[in-house]
Amino acid sequence: MFDVITIGSATIDSFVESDAANVVSVSTKENSIDFMSYPYGAKVEVESYKTAVGGGGLNAAANFAHLGAKTSAIFKIGDDFQGRNILEKVEEAGVDTSLVVKSKTDNSGSSVILLSFEGNRTVLAYRGANGKIKEEDINFDAVKKAKWLYIAPLNGESGAVLDKLAHFAEEHGTNVAINPGSSSLKRGLKYFEKILATAEVVVMNKEEASLVTKIQVRPDTKTECFSSEAIHPDVRAMLDKLKSTDAKVVIITDGKHGVYAYDGKKYYRCPEFPAKVVSTLGAGDALSSTFTAALEYTNWDIKKSLMLASVNAASVVSHFGAQEGFLTFEQMEERLKQTPAFRVEEV
């Protein structure tokens, strides 16, 4: 029996950093968007290049294992060099590999992460076998016996297993935490609400929440994030709409502005824990998996769990690679003691 089983992607990530990268901002009356650009047709010098294992399902599994949970992971890899490398790293992280699916026809997933001087990134993702998880690939008996099922973003054909998997877990008393990807959320809240209703924990970023709820956050400096006493009314509306699906706790992450949560009784607002940002890749995986594990650690203290999750996410963004900055709960507690001004507000 496992404490946690994760399902999602596993990849080989290549981190590329170049001083030639430009960040270009384009604004309209309605919104603004940033682009990373390189000189067209030029040979671009690279200052830093590094590879590591990643993917939402694997990042979360490695974090759960680091936090002391008996963890297994469901992901699909090819019979290739990348797949063998992924398996080796998963075992080194203390994650059980008995539920891993191997494909003889598809290549393992990989990605190229283009880093900017600001610490943010653009990801070029090749899904490969990650996008082809089928129902028959899943060991439902193991899911039935697990305490938690953590569902990371499922892309491509893999999204088709989401409905069956989430409801199976609920029917058999397995707690569900879900961090859905944009591919699934594009179907809208009507499709997704039955899946979200199975979950104890739902986590998504502000853009994903906007996509699924169809609520846009209007620019308003007076109520923007932490500059006032109130959560932005559009963010609150998102939380309300997501909570209406009967998930126990819904969380919306907002990058450098922190995290918002709602449990049906209270709204919570947690700022970003101070950190020197090296790469934001894996921050969301670290936050959502740490929050889930912290609920057990704190006996469902949402406020404390948000603080611990923010600390661990801050440590991850201080390192290259999505799994290099993981802390133990004891280390997180120590960092909180050293930063007494850091707190979560109840609204």
Side-chain angles (χ1 to χ4, degrees), residues 63-64 67 148 150 177 200-203 248-251 259-263 268 284-298 300-310 312-313 329 332:
N63 187 35
F64 280 121
L67 292 172
W148 280 90
Y150 177 95
E200 274 64 38
V201 179
V202 175
V203 184
K248 287 187 173 61
V249 183
V250 293
I251 294 175
V259 182
Y260 311 98
Y262 181 46
D263 63 359
Y268 303 86
D285 299 327
L287 187 139
S288 53
S289 56
T290 302
F291 177 82
T292 302
L295 287 175
E296 294 286 337
Y297 175 75
T298 65
W300 280 79
D301 184 330
I302 294 175
K303 196 171 181 178
K304 183 65 175 291
S305 296
L306 285 171
M307 295 174 72
L308 293 168
S310 183
N312 209 18
F329 280 125
M332 294 177 221

mmCIF file of all heavy atoms in Angstrom, residues 63-64 67 148 150 177 200-203 248-251 259-263 268 284-298 300-310 312-313 329 332:
data_model
loop_
_atom_site.group_PDB
_atom_site.id
_atom_site.type_symbol
_atom_site.label_atom_id
_atom_site.label_comp_id
_atom_site.label_asym_id
_atom_site.label_seq_id
_atom_site.Cartn_x
_atom_site.Cartn_y
_atom_site.Cartn_z
ATOM 1 N N ASN A 63 9.060 14.765 -4.838
ATOM 2 C CA ASN A 63 8.851 15.609 -3.656
ATOM 3 C C ASN A 63 8.151 14.845 -2.542
ATOM 4 O O ASN A 63 8.554 14.914 -1.374
ATOM 5 C CB ASN A 63 8.044 16.849 -4.040
ATOM 6 C CG ASN A 63 7.939 17.852 -2.896
ATOM 7 O OD1 ASN A 63 8.871 18.007 -2.107
ATOM 8 N ND2 ASN A 63 6.808 18.530 -2.807
ATOM 9 N N PHE A 64 7.113 14.093 -2.881
ATOM 10 C CA PHE A 64 6.417 13.293 -1.868
ATOM 11 C C PHE A 64 7.386 12.322 -1.191
ATOM 12 O O PHE A 64 7.379 12.163 0.039
ATOM 13 C CB PHE A 64 5.271 12.508 -2.509
ATOM 14 C CG PHE A 64 4.020 13.303 -2.742
ATOM 15 C CD1 PHE A 64 3.498 13.437 -4.031
ATOM 16 C CD2 PHE A 64 3.339 13.900 -1.690
ATOM 17 C CE1 PHE A 64 2.338 14.164 -4.263
ATOM 18 C CE2 PHE A 64 2.172 14.623 -1.899
ATOM 19 C CZ PHE A 64 1.667 14.758 -3.199
ATOM 20 N N LEU A 67 9.630 13.956 1.207
ATOM 21 C CA LEU A 67 8.919 14.341 2.428
ATOM 22 C C LEU A 67 8.568 13.130 3.289
ATOM 23 O O LEU A 67 7.896 13.266 4.307
ATOM 24 C CB LEU A 67 7.646 15.117 2.070
ATOM 25 C CG LEU A 67 7.888 16.495 1.457
ATOM 26 C CD1 LEU A 67 6.581 17.103 0.962
ATOM 27 C CD2 LEU A 67 8.554 17.429 2.457
ATOM 28 N N TRP A 148 -3.558 8.513 -1.043
ATOM 29 C CA TRP A 148 -3.748 9.671 -1.901
ATOM 30 C C TRP A 148 -3.441 9.325 -3.356
ATOM 31 O O TRP A 148 -2.500 8.573 -3.629
ATOM 32 C CB TRP A 148 -2.815 10.824 -1.494
ATOM 33 C CG TRP A 148 -3.266 11.629 -0.318
ATOM 34 C CD1 TRP A 148 -2.982 11.393 0.987
ATOM 35 C CD2 TRP A 148 -4.075 12.820 -0.353
ATOM 36 N NE1 TRP A 148 -3.564 12.353 1.785
ATOM 37 C CE2 TRP A 148 -4.230 13.244 0.993
ATOM 38 C CE3 TRP A 148 -4.666 13.563 -1.366
ATOM 39 C CZ2 TRP A 148 -4.961 14.376 1.335
ATOM 40 C CZ3 TRP A 148 -5.393 14.696 -1.033
ATOM 41 C CH2 TRP A 148 -5.544 15.092 0.298
ATOM 42 N N TYR A 150 -2.472 11.610 -6.589
ATOM 43 C CA TYR A 150 -2.131 12.963 -7.025
ATOM 44 C C TYR A 150 -2.118 12.966 -8.553
ATOM 45 O O TYR A 150 -1.313 12.264 -9.179
ATOM 46 C CB TYR A 150 -0.769 13.379 -6.471
ATOM 47 C CG TYR A 150 -0.300 14.742 -6.937
ATOM 48 C CD1 TYR A 150 -0.528 15.877 -6.153
ATOM 49 C CD2 TYR A 150 0.362 14.904 -8.150
ATOM 50 C CE1 TYR A 150 -0.097 17.127 -6.571
ATOM 51 C CE2 TYR A 150 0.794 16.146 -8.565
ATOM 52 C CZ TYR A 150 0.559 17.256 -7.785
ATOM 53 O OH TYR A 150 0.985 18.498 -8.207
ATOM 54 N N ALA A 177 -5.916 14.620 -5.079
ATOM 55 C CA ALA A 177 -5.405 15.973 -5.294
ATOM 56 C C ALA A 177 -5.162 16.108 -6.785
ATOM 57 O O ALA A 177 -4.580 15.217 -7.402
ATOM 58 C CB ALA A 177 -4.107 16.198 -4.528
ATOM 59 N N GLU A 200 -10.143 16.296 -2.950
ATOM 60 C CA GLU A 200 -9.918 16.989 -1.692
ATOM 61 C C GLU A 200 -9.180 18.299 -1.947
ATOM 62 O O GLU A 200 -9.416 19.301 -1.288
ATOM 63 C CB GLU A 200 -9.085 16.111 -0.753
ATOM 64 C CG GLU A 200 -9.892 15.129 0.074
ATOM 65 C CD GLU A 200 -10.603 14.078 -0.782
ATOM 66 O OE1 GLU A 200 -10.022 13.605 -1.782
ATOM 67 O OE2 GLU A 200 -11.751 13.733 -0.448
ATOM 68 N N VAL A 201 -8.265 18.282 -2.914
ATOM 69 C CA VAL A 201 -7.439 19.443 -3.221
ATOM 70 C C VAL A 201 -7.422 19.681 -4.725
ATOM 71 O O VAL A 201 -7.186 18.762 -5.499
ATOM 72 C CB VAL A 201 -5.980 19.240 -2.739
ATOM 73 C CG1 VAL A 201 -5.115 20.457 -3.098
ATOM 74 C CG2 VAL A 201 -5.931 18.969 -1.247
ATOM 75 N N VAL A 202 -7.679 20.927 -5.122
ATOM 76 C CA VAL A 202 -7.579 21.339 -6.532
ATOM 77 C C VAL A 202 -6.636 22.529 -6.599
ATOM 78 O O VAL A 202 -6.821 23.514 -5.889
ATOM 79 C CB VAL A 202 -8.945 21.728 -7.120
ATOM 80 C CG1 VAL A 202 -8.786 22.258 -8.541
ATOM 81 C CG2 VAL A 202 -9.899 20.542 -7.105
ATOM 82 N N VAL A 203 -5.609 22.436 -7.439
ATOM 83 C CA VAL A 203 -4.639 23.514 -7.589
ATOM 84 C C VAL A 203 -4.487 23.857 -9.063
ATOM 85 O O VAL A 203 -4.315 22.969 -9.895
ATOM 86 C CB VAL A 203 -3.248 23.126 -7.036
ATOM 87 C CG1 VAL A 203 -2.295 24.320 -7.117
ATOM 88 C CG2 VAL A 203 -3.347 22.621 -5.604
ATOM 89 N N LYS A 248 -12.864 20.109 -1.725
ATOM 90 C CA LYS A 248 -12.737 20.572 -0.338
ATOM 91 C C LYS A 248 -11.922 21.860 -0.227
ATOM 92 O O LYS A 248 -12.272 22.777 0.509
ATOM 93 C CB LYS A 248 -12.125 19.472 0.523
ATOM 94 C CG LYS A 248 -13.089 18.327 0.815
ATOM 95 C CD LYS A 248 -12.485 17.357 1.820
ATOM 96 C CE LYS A 248 -13.499 16.307 2.255
ATOM 97 N NZ LYS A 248 -13.985 15.483 1.152
ATOM 98 N N VAL A 249 -10.795 21.926 -0.935
ATOM 99 C CA VAL A 249 -9.947 23.113 -0.924
ATOM 100 C C VAL A 249 -9.545 23.438 -2.353
ATOM 101 O O VAL A 249 -9.072 22.561 -3.082
ATOM 102 C CB VAL A 249 -8.656 22.903 -0.094
ATOM 103 C CG1 VAL A 249 -7.850 24.204 -0.047
ATOM 104 C CG2 VAL A 249 -8.970 22.412 1.303
ATOM 105 N N VAL A 250 -9.748 24.689 -2.763
ATOM 106 C CA VAL A 250 -9.305 25.107 -4.091
ATOM 107 C C VAL A 250 -8.209 26.160 -3.926
ATOM 108 O O VAL A 250 -8.292 27.032 -3.058
ATOM 109 C CB VAL A 250 -10.460 25.657 -4.951
ATOM 110 C CG1 VAL A 250 -11.448 24.550 -5.277
ATOM 111 C CG2 VAL A 250 -11.160 26.814 -4.271
ATOM 112 N N ILE A 251 -7.186 26.052 -4.771
ATOM 113 C CA ILE A 251 -6.029 26.941 -4.687
ATOM 114 C C ILE A 251 -5.743 27.519 -6.056
ATOM 115 O O ILE A 251 -5.756 26.799 -7.065
ATOM 116 C CB ILE A 251 -4.789 26.183 -4.178
ATOM 117 C CG1 ILE A 251 -4.992 25.741 -2.731
ATOM 118 C CG2 ILE A 251 -3.532 27.044 -4.297
ATOM 119 C CD1 ILE A 251 -3.874 24.878 -2.195
ATOM 120 N N VAL A 259 -0.279 33.027 -3.501
ATOM 121 C CA VAL A 259 -1.275 31.964 -3.627
ATOM 122 C C VAL A 259 -2.560 32.370 -2.916
ATOM 123 O O VAL A 259 -2.532 33.004 -1.865
ATOM 124 C CB VAL A 259 -0.749 30.653 -2.984
ATOM 125 C CG1 VAL A 259 -1.753 29.533 -3.161
ATOM 126 C CG2 VAL A 259 0.594 30.254 -3.571
ATOM 127 N N TYR A 260 -3.699 31.967 -3.505
ATOM 128 C CA TYR A 260 -5.005 32.188 -2.892
ATOM 129 C C TYR A 260 -5.667 30.826 -2.680
ATOM 130 O O TYR A 260 -5.518 29.913 -3.496
ATOM 131 C CB TYR A 260 -5.901 33.040 -3.789
ATOM 132 C CG TYR A 260 -5.233 34.290 -4.303
ATOM 133 C CD1 TYR A 260 -4.675 34.326 -5.584
ATOM 134 C CD2 TYR A 260 -5.154 35.435 -3.525
ATOM 135 C CE1 TYR A 260 -4.057 35.469 -6.056
ATOM 136 C CE2 TYR A 260 -4.541 36.580 -3.991
ATOM 137 C CZ TYR A 260 -3.995 36.592 -5.260
ATOM 138 O OH TYR A 260 -3.377 37.725 -5.726
ATOM 139 N N ALA A 261 -6.415 30.691 -1.601
ATOM 140 C CA ALA A 261 -7.110 29.436 -1.329
ATOM 141 C C ALA A 261 -8.483 29.721 -0.738
ATOM 142 O O ALA A 261 -8.721 30.774 -0.140
ATOM 143 C CB ALA A 261 -6.294 28.569 -0.382
ATOM 144 N N TYR A 262 -9.383 28.743 -0.883
ATOM 145 C CA TYR A 262 -10.732 28.874 -0.340
ATOM 146 C C TYR A 262 -11.237 27.482 0.024
ATOM 147 O O TYR A 262 -11.132 26.538 -0.767
ATOM 148 C CB TYR A 262 -11.651 29.516 -1.378
ATOM 149 C CG TYR A 262 -13.072 29.735 -0.936
ATOM 150 C CD1 TYR A 262 -13.384 30.293 0.300
ATOM 151 C CD2 TYR A 262 -14.139 29.395 -1.779
ATOM 152 C CE1 TYR A 262 -14.696 30.490 0.695
ATOM 153 C CE2 TYR A 262 -15.459 29.601 -1.402
ATOM 154 C CZ TYR A 262 -15.733 30.146 -0.156
ATOM 155 O OH TYR A 262 -17.040 30.356 0.231
ATOM 156 N N ASP A 263 -11.755 27.341 1.236
ATOM 157 C CA ASP A 263 -12.265 26.045 1.691
ATOM 158 C C ASP A 263 -13.771 26.054 1.912
ATOM 159 O O ASP A 263 -14.324 25.129 2.514
ATOM 160 C CB ASP A 263 -11.554 25.618 2.978
ATOM 161 C CG ASP A 263 -11.812 26.575 4.138
ATOM 162 O OD1 ASP A 263 -12.525 27.581 3.958
ATOM 163 O OD2 ASP A 263 -11.283 26.310 5.242
ATOM 164 N N TYR A 268 -7.978 32.484 1.894
ATOM 165 C CA TYR A 268 -6.607 32.623 2.395
ATOM 166 C C TYR A 268 -5.744 33.274 1.318
ATOM 167 O O TYR A 268 -5.907 33.008 0.123
ATOM 168 C CB TYR A 268 -6.012 31.255 2.744
ATOM 169 C CG TYR A 268 -6.810 30.471 3.746
ATOM 170 C CD1 TYR A 268 -7.882 29.662 3.347
ATOM 171 C CD2 TYR A 268 -6.507 30.518 5.110
ATOM 172 C CE1 TYR A 268 -8.615 28.926 4.264
ATOM 173 C CE2 TYR A 268 -7.232 29.787 6.041
ATOM 174 C CZ TYR A 268 -8.290 28.999 5.606
ATOM 175 O OH TYR A 268 -9.011 28.277 6.523
ATOM 176 N N GLY A 284 5.228 25.162 -9.429
ATOM 177 C CA GLY A 284 3.836 24.759 -9.225
ATOM 178 C C GLY A 284 3.721 23.331 -8.734
ATOM 179 O O GLY A 284 2.893 23.024 -7.858
ATOM 180 N N ASP A 285 4.547 22.433 -9.280
ATOM 181 C CA ASP A 285 4.542 21.032 -8.840
ATOM 182 C C ASP A 285 4.957 20.944 -7.375
ATOM 183 O O ASP A 285 4.361 20.191 -6.595
ATOM 184 C CB ASP A 285 5.508 20.204 -9.694
ATOM 185 C CG ASP A 285 5.142 20.195 -11.166
ATOM 186 O OD1 ASP A 285 3.942 20.246 -11.481
ATOM 187 O OD2 ASP A 285 6.061 20.138 -12.006
ATOM 188 N N ALA A 286 5.990 21.697 -7.007
ATOM 189 C CA ALA A 286 6.465 21.671 -5.622
ATOM 190 C C ALA A 286 5.407 22.210 -4.667
ATOM 191 O O ALA A 286 5.168 21.646 -3.591
ATOM 192 C CB ALA A 286 7.752 22.483 -5.488
ATOM 193 N N LEU A 287 4.771 23.306 -5.061
ATOM 194 C CA LEU A 287 3.778 23.915 -4.183
ATOM 195 C C LEU A 287 2.571 22.994 -3.976
ATOM 196 O O LEU A 287 2.140 22.762 -2.844
ATOM 197 C CB LEU A 287 3.329 25.261 -4.741
ATOM 198 C CG LEU A 287 2.416 26.055 -3.795
ATOM 199 C CD1 LEU A 287 2.778 27.539 -3.801
ATOM 200 C CD2 LEU A 287 0.942 25.891 -4.157
ATOM 201 N N SER A 288 2.027 22.474 -5.067
ATOM 202 C CA SER A 288 0.804 21.671 -4.946
ATOM 203 C C SER A 288 1.053 20.346 -4.238
ATOM 204 O O SER A 288 0.240 19.908 -3.412
ATOM 205 C CB SER A 288 0.181 21.436 -6.329
ATOM 206 O OG SER A 288 1.118 20.900 -7.234
ATOM 207 N N SER A 289 2.200 19.694 -4.513
ATOM 208 C CA SER A 289 2.480 18.428 -3.839
ATOM 209 C C SER A 289 2.853 18.648 -2.377
ATOM 210 O O SER A 289 2.472 17.856 -1.509
ATOM 211 C CB SER A 289 3.584 17.658 -4.576
ATOM 212 O OG SER A 289 4.762 18.422 -4.721
ATOM 213 N N THR A 290 3.583 19.734 -2.088
ATOM 214 C CA THR A 290 3.919 20.027 -0.689
ATOM 215 C C THR A 290 2.670 20.360 0.111
ATOM 216 O O THR A 290 2.508 19.913 1.255
ATOM 217 C CB THR A 290 4.913 21.200 -0.592
ATOM 218 O OG1 THR A 290 6.088 20.889 -1.330
ATOM 219 C CG2 THR A 290 5.296 21.467 0.856
ATOM 220 N N PHE A 291 1.765 21.145 -0.486
ATOM 221 C CA PHE A 291 0.521 21.476 0.207
ATOM 222 C C PHE A 291 -0.256 20.201 0.536
ATOM 223 O O PHE A 291 -0.770 20.042 1.655
ATOM 224 C CB PHE A 291 -0.341 22.411 -0.638
ATOM 225 C CG PHE A 291 -1.665 22.744 -0.008
ATOM 226 C CD1 PHE A 291 -1.758 23.732 0.953
ATOM 227 C CD2 PHE A 291 -2.820 22.058 -0.364
ATOM 228 C CE1 PHE A 291 -2.967 24.029 1.567
ATOM 229 C CE2 PHE A 291 -4.037 22.341 0.226
ATOM 230 C CZ PHE A 291 -4.111 23.333 1.200
ATOM 231 N N THR A 292 -0.343 19.294 -0.423
ATOM 232 C CA THR A 292 -1.071 18.045 -0.209
ATOM 233 C C THR A 292 -0.448 17.240 0.921
ATOM 234 O O THR A 292 -1.147 16.751 1.822
ATOM 235 C CB THR A 292 -1.082 17.213 -1.504
ATOM 236 O OG1 THR A 292 -1.686 17.976 -2.563
ATOM 237 C CG2 THR A 292 -1.864 15.926 -1.324
ATOM 238 N N ALA A 293 0.876 17.088 0.892
ATOM 239 C CA ALA A 293 1.565 16.345 1.950
ATOM 240 C C ALA A 293 1.444 17.067 3.291
ATOM 241 O O ALA A 293 1.328 16.432 4.357
ATOM 242 C CB ALA A 293 3.033 16.155 1.580
ATOM 243 N N ALA A 294 1.465 18.394 3.264
ATOM 244 C CA ALA A 294 1.401 19.179 4.495
ATOM 245 C C ALA A 294 0.044 19.058 5.181
ATOM 246 O O ALA A 294 -0.046 19.205 6.409
ATOM 247 C CB ALA A 294 1.709 20.648 4.203
ATOM 248 N N LEU A 295 -0.998 18.808 4.424
ATOM 249 C CA LEU A 295 -2.312 18.607 5.044
ATOM 250 C C LEU A 295 -2.268 17.428 6.013
ATOM 251 O O LEU A 295 -2.868 17.479 7.092
ATOM 252 C CB LEU A 295 -3.380 18.378 3.972
ATOM 253 C CG LEU A 295 -3.793 19.597 3.148
ATOM 254 C CD1 LEU A 295 -4.772 19.181 2.052
ATOM 255 C CD2 LEU A 295 -4.423 20.680 4.026
ATOM 256 N N GLU A 296 -1.554 16.380 5.632
ATOM 257 C CA GLU A 296 -1.382 15.231 6.530
ATOM 258 C C GLU A 296 -0.466 15.616 7.687
ATOM 259 O O GLU A 296 -0.725 15.275 8.846
ATOM 260 C CB GLU A 296 -0.778 14.054 5.755
ATOM 261 C CG GLU A 296 -1.681 13.474 4.676
ATOM 262 C CD GLU A 296 -2.817 12.651 5.253
ATOM 263 O OE1 GLU A 296 -2.681 12.161 6.392
ATOM 264 O OE2 GLU A 296 -3.851 12.488 4.577
ATOM 265 N N TYR A 297 0.591 16.319 7.399
ATOM 266 C CA TYR A 297 1.594 16.711 8.399
ATOM 267 C C TYR A 297 1.005 17.640 9.458
ATOM 268 O O TYR A 297 1.352 17.561 10.647
ATOM 269 C CB TYR A 297 2.754 17.378 7.671
ATOM 270 C CG TYR A 297 3.837 17.960 8.539
ATOM 271 C CD1 TYR A 297 4.761 17.135 9.189
ATOM 272 C CD2 TYR A 297 3.958 19.341 8.705
ATOM 273 C CE1 TYR A 297 5.769 17.672 9.980
ATOM 274 C CE2 TYR A 297 4.971 19.880 9.484
ATOM 275 C CZ TYR A 297 5.861 19.046 10.129
ATOM 276 O OH TYR A 297 6.857 19.589 10.899
ATOM 277 N N THR A 298 0.092 18.533 9.048
ATOM 278 C CA THR A 298 -0.467 19.537 9.954
ATOM 279 C C THR A 298 -1.873 19.201 10.436
ATOM 280 O O THR A 298 -2.519 20.025 11.078
ATOM 281 C CB THR A 298 -0.535 20.908 9.259
ATOM 282 O OG1 THR A 298 -1.470 20.841 8.158
ATOM 283 C CG2 THR A 298 0.830 21.330 8.737
ATOM 284 N N TRP A 300 -4.563 18.870 8.540
ATOM 285 C CA TRP A 300 -5.455 19.703 7.734
ATOM 286 C C TRP A 300 -5.517 21.160 8.194
ATOM 287 O O TRP A 300 -6.567 21.796 8.181
ATOM 288 C CB TRP A 300 -6.863 19.106 7.655
ATOM 289 C CG TRP A 300 -6.940 17.994 6.638
ATOM 290 C CD1 TRP A 300 -6.523 16.722 6.786
ATOM 291 C CD2 TRP A 300 -7.429 18.099 5.293
ATOM 292 N NE1 TRP A 300 -6.715 16.006 5.627
ATOM 293 C CE2 TRP A 300 -7.280 16.826 4.695
ATOM 294 C CE3 TRP A 300 -7.990 19.131 4.546
ATOM 295 C CZ2 TRP A 300 -7.658 16.553 3.389
ATOM 296 C CZ3 TRP A 300 -8.375 18.866 3.253
ATOM 297 C CH2 TRP A 300 -8.215 17.593 2.669
ATOM 298 N N ASP A 301 -4.390 21.682 8.578
ATOM 299 C CA ASP A 301 -4.272 23.114 8.873
ATOM 300 C C ASP A 301 -3.931 23.817 7.554
ATOM 301 O O ASP A 301 -2.774 23.809 7.114
ATOM 302 C CB ASP A 301 -3.170 23.335 9.910
ATOM 303 C CG ASP A 301 -3.057 24.802 10.345
ATOM 304 O OD1 ASP A 301 -3.368 25.703 9.536
ATOM 305 O OD2 ASP A 301 -2.626 25.039 11.493
ATOM 306 N N ILE A 302 -4.919 24.406 6.910
ATOM 307 C CA ILE A 302 -4.729 24.992 5.585
ATOM 308 C C ILE A 302 -3.736 26.148 5.620
ATOM 309 O O ILE A 302 -2.874 26.286 4.753
ATOM 310 C CB ILE A 302 -6.084 25.447 5.006
ATOM 311 C CG1 ILE A 302 -6.968 24.224 4.757
ATOM 312 C CG2 ILE A 302 -5.891 26.243 3.708
ATOM 313 C CD1 ILE A 302 -8.375 24.562 4.307
ATOM 314 N N LYS A 303 -3.856 26.975 6.623
ATOM 315 C CA LYS A 303 -2.975 28.134 6.754
ATOM 316 C C LYS A 303 -1.511 27.713 6.844
ATOM 317 O O LYS A 303 -0.646 28.221 6.117
ATOM 318 C CB LYS A 303 -3.386 28.934 7.993
ATOM 319 C CG LYS A 303 -2.836 30.334 8.077
ATOM 320 C CD LYS A 303 -3.511 31.055 9.248
ATOM 321 C CE LYS A 303 -2.999 32.486 9.367
ATOM 322 N NZ LYS A 303 -3.692 33.196 10.469
ATOM 323 N N LYS A 304 -1.212 26.773 7.735
ATOM 324 C CA LYS A 304 0.162 26.297 7.905
ATOM 325 C C LYS A 304 0.629 25.543 6.657
ATOM 326 O O LYS A 304 1.792 25.674 6.244
ATOM 327 C CB LYS A 304 0.241 25.384 9.134
ATOM 328 C CG LYS A 304 1.649 24.879 9.449
ATOM 329 C CD LYS A 304 2.574 26.015 9.850
ATOM 330 C CE LYS A 304 3.948 25.506 10.274
ATOM 331 N NZ LYS A 304 3.886 24.757 11.558
ATOM 332 N N SER A 305 -0.259 24.793 6.046
ATOM 333 C CA SER A 305 0.107 24.031 4.851
ATOM 334 C C SER A 305 0.481 24.956 3.700
ATOM 335 O O SER A 305 1.418 24.672 2.935
ATOM 336 C CB SER A 305 -1.053 23.120 4.427
ATOM 337 O OG SER A 305 -1.321 22.149 5.424
ATOM 338 N N LEU A 306 -0.218 26.078 3.562
ATOM 339 C CA LEU A 306 0.119 27.061 2.531
ATOM 340 C C LEU A 306 1.502 27.654 2.777
ATOM 341 O O LEU A 306 2.284 27.855 1.839
ATOM 342 C CB LEU A 306 -0.925 28.175 2.502
ATOM 343 C CG LEU A 306 -2.275 27.845 1.878
ATOM 344 C CD1 LEU A 306 -3.263 28.981 2.128
ATOM 345 C CD2 LEU A 306 -2.142 27.584 0.376
ATOM 346 N N MET A 307 1.808 27.935 4.030
ATOM 347 C CA MET A 307 3.107 28.510 4.370
ATOM 348 C C MET A 307 4.240 27.536 4.044
ATOM 349 O O MET A 307 5.256 27.901 3.442
ATOM 350 C CB MET A 307 3.142 28.904 5.846
ATOM 351 C CG MET A 307 2.180 30.026 6.205
ATOM 352 S SD MET A 307 2.107 30.357 7.988
ATOM 353 C CE MET A 307 3.693 31.139 8.263
ATOM 354 N N LEU A 308 4.069 26.280 4.434
ATOM 355 C CA LEU A 308 5.091 25.274 4.157
ATOM 356 C C LEU A 308 5.271 25.082 2.657
ATOM 357 O O LEU A 308 6.404 24.975 2.155
ATOM 358 C CB LEU A 308 4.705 23.951 4.818
ATOM 359 C CG LEU A 308 4.702 23.937 6.343
ATOM 360 C CD1 LEU A 308 4.029 22.677 6.873
ATOM 361 C CD2 LEU A 308 6.124 24.030 6.896
ATOM 362 N N ALA A 309 4.163 25.052 1.925
ATOM 363 C CA ALA A 309 4.232 24.876 0.474
ATOM 364 C C ALA A 309 4.951 26.039 -0.191
ATOM 365 O O ALA A 309 5.740 25.851 -1.132
ATOM 366 C CB ALA A 309 2.822 24.729 -0.096
ATOM 367 N N SER A 310 4.703 27.236 0.294
ATOM 368 C CA SER A 310 5.357 28.412 -0.268
ATOM 369 C C SER A 310 6.862 28.374 -0.020
ATOM 370 O O SER A 310 7.667 28.743 -0.890
ATOM 371 C CB SER A 310 4.754 29.682 0.335
ATOM 372 O OG SER A 310 5.327 30.834 -0.232
ATOM 373 N N ASN A 312 8.775 25.661 0.363
ATOM 374 C CA ASN A 312 9.398 24.639 -0.485
ATOM 375 C C ASN A 312 9.459 25.078 -1.948
ATOM 376 O O ASN A 312 10.454 24.855 -2.637
ATOM 377 C CB ASN A 312 8.651 23.315 -0.366
ATOM 378 C CG ASN A 312 9.554 22.118 -0.598
ATOM 379 O OD1 ASN A 312 10.786 22.218 -0.533
ATOM 380 N ND2 ASN A 312 8.960 20.976 -0.865
ATOM 381 N N ALA A 313 8.397 25.730 -2.422
ATOM 382 C CA ALA A 313 8.396 26.233 -3.791
ATOM 383 C C ALA A 313 9.485 27.279 -3.984
ATOM 384 O O ALA A 313 10.153 27.322 -5.028
ATOM 385 C CB ALA A 313 7.024 26.823 -4.126
ATOM 386 N N PHE A 329 10.219 18.731 5.888
ATOM 387 C CA PHE A 329 9.329 19.562 6.701
ATOM 388 C C PHE A 329 10.112 20.259 7.817
ATOM 389 O O PHE A 329 9.820 21.417 8.159
ATOM 390 C CB PHE A 329 8.201 18.720 7.295
ATOM 391 C CG PHE A 329 7.079 18.450 6.334
ATOM 392 C CD1 PHE A 329 6.673 17.150 6.067
ATOM 393 C CD2 PHE A 329 6.426 19.498 5.692
ATOM 394 C CE1 PHE A 329 5.631 16.898 5.180
ATOM 395 C CE2 PHE A 329 5.381 19.257 4.805
ATOM 396 C CZ PHE A 329 4.988 17.946 4.553
ATOM 397 N N MET A 332 11.736 23.266 6.341
ATOM 398 C CA MET A 332 10.733 24.311 6.071
ATOM 399 C C MET A 332 10.356 25.035 7.361
ATOM 400 O O MET A 332 10.248 26.261 7.397
ATOM 401 C CB MET A 332 9.478 23.697 5.446
ATOM 402 C CG MET A 332 9.658 23.092 4.074
ATOM 403 S SD MET A 332 8.099 22.341 3.509
ATOM 404 C CE MET A 332 8.707 20.839 2.740
#
